[in-house]
Amino acid sequence: MHANYINGRWFEGASAEPNINPSDLTETIGAYAHADEVQAKEAIDAACSALEAWQFGSIQARADSLDMIGSELLSRRQELGRLLAREEGKTLPEAVGEIVRAGYIFKYFAQEVLRIDGRLTPSVRPGMMVETLREPVGVVGIITPWNFPMAIPAWKIAPALAFGNTVVFKPAELVPGCAWALAEIISRSGIPAGVFNMVNGPGSVVGAAMTSDTRINALSFTGSVATGERIAKALAGRATRLQMEMGGKNPLIITDDATLERAVECAVQGAYYSTGQRCTASSRIIVTPGIYDRFVEALKSKVESLVVGHALDGDTQIGPVVDERQLEQDLAYIAIGKAEGATLAYGGQRVARPTNGLFLQPTLFVDCDNTMRICQEEIFGPVAAVIPAASYEHALVLANDTPFGLCAGICTNSLSLAQHFKTRSRAGMVMVNAPTAGVDYHVPFGGTRASSHGPHEQGFAAQEFYTTTKTAYVCA
Ligand code: ADP
């Protein structure tokens, strides 16, 4: 049994639930504790009690602990990558890459601990000086989704701790293995009891206990739009600081002058890798007339060649869908696409493999219209829609015609088009000749409009959410 970690100790939950491998539904990875509301409250109690000593403790010790966590993640990348691939379904190289990324995130924020600084400003009043200091926000609640079970917890937990906050972390129920492994590493890092707590369990119970508790000073959430709306409502009227990363319907524009091979590579990588289960996935591929037919043909032949299979098989390029519910959602959207009149160029079927897993063909719709539901709603599976555009200007209008604004890409060899798109795209992140998915770990991450709420995450942006400024007036 894998227990919850509260106040420096391990506790069994109200129940224990199996963690199932989506590549092989007959394989149980382990049993993991599910907390109830009482246990969630105990974790918040612990985080409140531990705050003062952590906030005013040694920053060298804080930096050393975060660096140690990063080092252990890096040195155990293969083993933890296997665990991640087994519970989430992304391929082993992708999973190992995610562990490495999490390791570097902890190491980056270990250094950030030593860079917290303030300002000294002359006052308008003679004899007075004004100091502006950065302080932790307090107790931070962290609620994460299943699609990046190590990287997303890392990019929230590391800055929260680095800037002197205490943490109550609730991972997604589908991926407790990585959360438990990370908590176990943190438990041996020298971080005092109560500073970091991990309570696995249902969002409606543990998540709701966190959003209803006024002792949580800041809440960072990544997940679906529907849950984000629920959380925002739960916090409405309260002073809790809120950061949310939600969906995307990310466009990738291919212009007439693009290099064909590069454009196809960006589309395939962005739309189908990690089984399309990324909020930054290129789910809308918008193509101008001079390259449309050549691009569609080349993309189709590449998609047909993708190998779908068990996440741990060396040949696999596309792993399984994470669970039955997500598979049903993907199949439902494929049916919607057909009913809306989109042309199914490839895929759309569940496929059998030697193991009993949730395997879905990469699915390509072409000749789509941007108003179709498959072009407006996030599917979160290996499904992409190619949309013809009359010109670059038209493509730009279509790219921005979405409620979301997470990431947007363009494949072009024109410096002026790239420059124009970079400034006119209404997304929070823009890629030129690169897939929309796949970002660096040391720079800000986040979107606009329905994709994101509050300050962005990671890099230098992280301190905006995880610290607050104090202004001190000192008269000599
Ligand atoms: P995904 O399907 O991408 O995991 P969800 O929005 O369903 O997206 O879940 C993201 C996280 O939010 C999970 O950890 C989930 O348990 C949690 N969650 C779900 N419902 C609630 C809720 N009512 N309050 C707080 N957290 C919730």
Side-chain angles (χ1 to χ4, degrees), residues 142-147 170-174 200-211 219 221-228 230-231 234 322 325-326 378 380:
I142 290 175
I143 299 178
T144 55
W146 49 261
N147 65 329
K170 192 209 92 63
E173 306 90 298
L174 282 177
N200 180 44
S204 57
V205 178
V206 179
M210 289 164 70
T211 57
L219 192 102
F221 164 80
T222 300
S224 62
V225 174
T227 305
R230 216 168 288 137
I231 289 176
V322 74
R325 201 181 57 140
Q326 183 63 50
E378 187 175 48
F380 222 63

Side-chain angles (χ1 to χ4, degrees), residues 31-93:
Y32 289 81
H34 265 204
D36 58 10
E37 196 179 318
V38 175
Q39 214 170 43
K41 296 283 174 194
E42 286 166 1
I44 300 170
D45 293 343
C48 290
S49 305
L51 180 62
E52 189 174 336
W54 180 243
Q55 174 177 352
F56 296 108
S58 156
I59 60 165
Q60 184 64 60
R62 217 193 273 172
D64 288 346
S65 293
L66 294 179
D67 190 66
M68 201 185 292
I69 296 164
S71 296
E72 183 162 344
L73 287 167
L74 292 177
S75 68
R76 290 173 62 194
R77 65 184 71 181
Q78 290 298 335
E79 170 215 341
L80 294 173
R82 269 184 85 80
L83 171 67
L84 198 165
R86 283 168 71 212
E87 73 174 354
E88 197 271 345
K90 65 184 63 168
T91 64
L92 188 57

Side-chain angles (χ1 to χ4, degrees), residues 345-396:
Y346 182 74
Q349 300 291 323
R350 185 173 175 177
V351 284
R353 291 291 177 265
T355 51
N356 179 19
L358 302 167
F359 303 109
L360 178 63
Q361 288 177 309
T363 300
L364 180 65
F365 282 109
V366 298
D367 303 336
C368 299
D369 186 291
N370 196 51
T371 59
M372 291 173 173
R373 283 183 64 194
I374 58 163
C375 297
Q376 288 292 316
E377 298 171 21
E378 187 175 48
I379 301 173
F380 222 63
V383 183
V386 177
I387 305 165
S391 60
Y392 162 74
E393 289 72 21
H394 183 214
L396 175 64

Side-chain angles (χ1 to χ4, degrees), residues 11 19 24 56 89 143 150 193 197 251 309 340 347 356 375 383 388 406 428:
F11 293 92
N19 183 3
D24 181 354
F56 296 108
I143 299 178
M150 195 62 97
N197 307 274
E340 286 178 312
N356 179 19
C375 297
V383 183
L406 189 57

Side-chain angles (χ1 to χ4, degrees), residues 236-250:
R238 294 227 310 266
T240 313
R241 189 178 284 199
L242 180 61
Q243 171 183 66
M244 301 199 291
E245 285 298 338
M246 297 166 287
K249 198 69 198 174
N250 311 289

